[in-house]
Amino acid sequence: MIDQNQVLTALEKILDPETGRPLGQTQQLKQIDCHSDRLSVAIGLTSHSAPLHNDVKQQATERLQQAFPQVPQIQVEIVPHQRVVPQLGQVGLRCRSVIAVGSGKGGVGKSTVATSLAYSLKKMGCRVGLMDADVYGPSVPQLTGTAGQLRQEDGKIQPLMQDGMPIVSIGFMVPADQAIIWRGPMLHSAVTQFLRDTAWGELDYLIIDMPPGTGDIALTLSQLLPLSGAVVVCTPQKVALLDAVKAIAMFRKVKIPIVGIVENMSGFLCPDNHKRYDIFGSGGARQLAEDAEIPFLGDIPITLSMRERGDEGTTQENLEDPTVAPFIDKIAYQVARRIADQVRSAPATPQLPVLG
Ligand code: ADP
């Protein structure tokens, strides 16, 4: 007969994707039921790890099958595990992973990728916020179909809610047809307010849509809080790749780690004949990622429906479209995977701060 300790021994060294610590140390092996012919285990994982729940389930199942080949029925279940999210940096934002989405230039689909990434992580079960810091061309309100003005309540900016996701954008502060000349200190204070004075609640991921090219906002962000990393979006043609190289250099300069590169508009999927035409070429970003020794996170084809949804303010529907959703979901999974890998190679301090 198997006893609980043998099961614990088989599983305790599996690492929690969020903290990088062994599950045996973090009270995440919740329930173990042993019988002569079956074994069932419940593993507690947080919503931050939602994209990786299946990986942990598979890993645990394999370890149990190896350790107890005589047991015909092995069942691993993932159950919710709560953990207080610590404050980040000096701004008091309670978010586990802040991800900047940047590009070397405008028009490559950076905002579309940032928005789709946020919706995909949310669909997988994570608590996600979306912050549009593209001061020169805030397009998140348009892409998500969100309109309105930011209000203050109890001294905090209230994000606008869209499909259950809190969104803050410079576009909610400035009328769409007006131009503002942003000076350095104004940029700094707008970004600081968005992070420090906004009622984001507790988040697993905050996705920040960065302005293309320049490093001002990246520098401000890196001074305010530790970012998990940057996702660089580019299109496959050579001129765009050259700009992406500059974006990578910029993030490196301000010491924001690069999570990886996304190739957007990678091949046109023709709705008439379902053929793929490589209008801008394809594979260039993968090569760039290899040359720069950066992970390649995936590609997204260019489709008529994605462009239409952008214009209609229904980008969230991309996540239900079988021609593009798998591409977006793969990128979201890769982002979560890479962040978990980072945490594992530099584990958090043993005791997470407990907040009052
Ligand atoms: P950026 O933030 O880089 O300036 P946007 O995300 O605003 O770019 O996208 C620019 C335009 O391209 C928008 O009209 C958007 O709907 C469209 N677009 C972005 N990605 C795709 C795609 N994969 N397929 C079709 N249209 C896309």
Side-chain angles (χ1 to χ4, degrees), residues 106-112 139 143 264-265 300-303 306-307 310:
V108 298
K110 167 186 57 63
S111 303
T112 305
S139 34
L143 291 172
N264 188 33
M265 307 191 188
I300 303 177
I302 177 167
T303 74
M306 272 191 82
R307 199 275 305 150

Side-chain angles (χ1 to χ4, degrees), residues 10-25:
L11 299 180
E12 66 189 356
K13 293 210 171 67
I14 293 180
L15 300 181
D16 170 38
E18 182 182 355
T19 58
R21 294 166 61 204
L23 292 179
Q25 281 178 21

Side-chain angles (χ1 to χ4, degrees), residues 183-193 219-221 223-224:
R183 293 188 190 280
M186 278 165 69
L187 279 181
H188 184 85
S189 83
V191 171
T192 308
Q193 277 195 16
L219 182 61
T220 296
L221 282 174
Q223 287 166 345
L224 287 172

Side-chain angles (χ1 to χ4, degrees), residues 25-350:
Q25 281 178 21
T26 47
Q27 289 80 47
Q28 284 172 266
L29 297 173
K30 301 271 189 198
Q31 198 178 339
I32 299 174
D33 288 324
C34 305
H35 305 271
S36 54
D37 61 340
R38 76 197 146 86
L39 178 60
S40 72
V41 175
I43 297 178
L45 293 178
T46 62
S47 53
H48 181 273
S49 315
L52 308 172
H53 283 186
N54 271 338
D55 290 4
V56 176
K57 184 173 173 170
Q58 199 179 338
Q59 203 183 353
T61 308
E62 280 167 14
R63 285 196 186 199
L64 291 173
Q65 282 166 344
Q66 260 174 21
F68 310 108
Q70 73 280 22
V71 180
Q73 220 183 326
I74 288 177
Q75 200 177 24
V76 177
E77 188 195 1
I78 304 295
V79 296
H81 180 75
Q82 312 292 340
R83 181 181 286 127
V84 175
V85 178
Q87 292 190 0
L88 271 184
Q90 302 300 311
V91 286
L93 174 71
R94 284 168 77 167
C95 176
R96 180 51 90 175
S97 302
V98 178
I99 298 162
V101 180
S103 66
K105 63 172 185 174
V108 298
K110 167 186 57 63
S111 303
T112 305
V113 171
T115 304
S116 304
L117 173 62
Y119 278 124
S120 177
L121 289 169
K122 179 159 191 308
K123 183 177 83 173
M124 293 175 186
C126 308
R127 297 167 299 175
V128 186
L130 178 60
M131 171 174 151
D132 180 6
D134 189 346
V135 286
Y136 306 111
S139 34
V140 168
Q142 164 62 40
L143 291 172
T144 57
T146 318
Q149 294 281 311
L150 295 174
R151 297 178 295 110
Q152 288 232 3
E153 219 171 83
D154 302 328
K156 287 271 186 191
I157 298 171
Q158 303 299 311
L160 298 185
M161 297 300 286
Q162 184 64 276
D163 308 294
M165 183 162 72
I167 303 180
V168 160
S169 169
I170 297 269
F172 301 145
M173 301 168 71
V174 186
D177 55 356
Q178 265 181 41
I180 301 196
I181 295 168
W182 290 93
R183 293 188 190 280
M186 278 165 69
L187 279 181
H188 184 85
S189 83
V191 171
T192 308
Q193 277 195 16
F194 278 0
L195 291 172
R196 189 191 57 199
D197 304 333
T198 300
W200 287 109
E202 235 182 52
L203 296 178
D204 295 316
Y205 297 89
L206 179 65
I207 308 298
I208 305 184
D209 184 12
M210 304 285 285
T214 66
D216 313 20
I217 297 218
L219 182 61
T220 296
L221 282 174
S222 67
Q223 287 166 345
L224 287 172
L225 79 184
L227 272 87
S228 292
V231 170
V232 175
V233 180
C234 64
T235 48
Q237 72 274 40
K238 219 167 213 166
V239 278
L241 291 168
L242 289 174
D243 286 315
V245 170
K246 285 186 207 152
I248 292 165
M250 184 272 289
F251 282 122
R252 282 185 167 154
K253 202 162 188 173
V254 297
K255 304 220 163 22
I256 296 177
I258 313 265
V259 182
I261 299 183
V262 171
E263 181 169 291
N264 188 33
M265 307 191 188
S266 171
F268 168 61
L269 288 186
C270 176
D272 295 339
N273 59 12
H274 304 289
K275 276 194 186 161
R276 179 189 158 120
Y277 298 92
D278 286 339
I279 294 179
F280 298 129
S282 91
R286 190 187 285 271
Q287 187 60 47
L288 169 63
E290 209 170 284
D291 295 345
E293 295 180 0
I294 289 170
F296 179 71
L297 301 172
D299 51 12
I300 303 177
I302 177 167
T303 74
L304 278 174
S305 52
M306 272 191 82
R307 199 275 305 150
E308 281 164 3
R309 291 187 194 114
D311 282 354
E312 286 162 8
T314 55
T315 296
Q316 49 277 41
E317 287 175 11
N318 289 333
L319 277 304
E320 289 146 34
D321 174 351
T323 55
V324 288
F327 293 93
I328 298 169
D329 291 339
K330 181 187 160 218
I331 290 165
Y333 166 82
Q334 283 294 333
V335 167
R337 177 82 269 155
R338 299 290 169 181
I339 289 175
D341 290 348
Q342 264 177 27
V343 172
R344 196 177 49 210
S345 54
T349 44

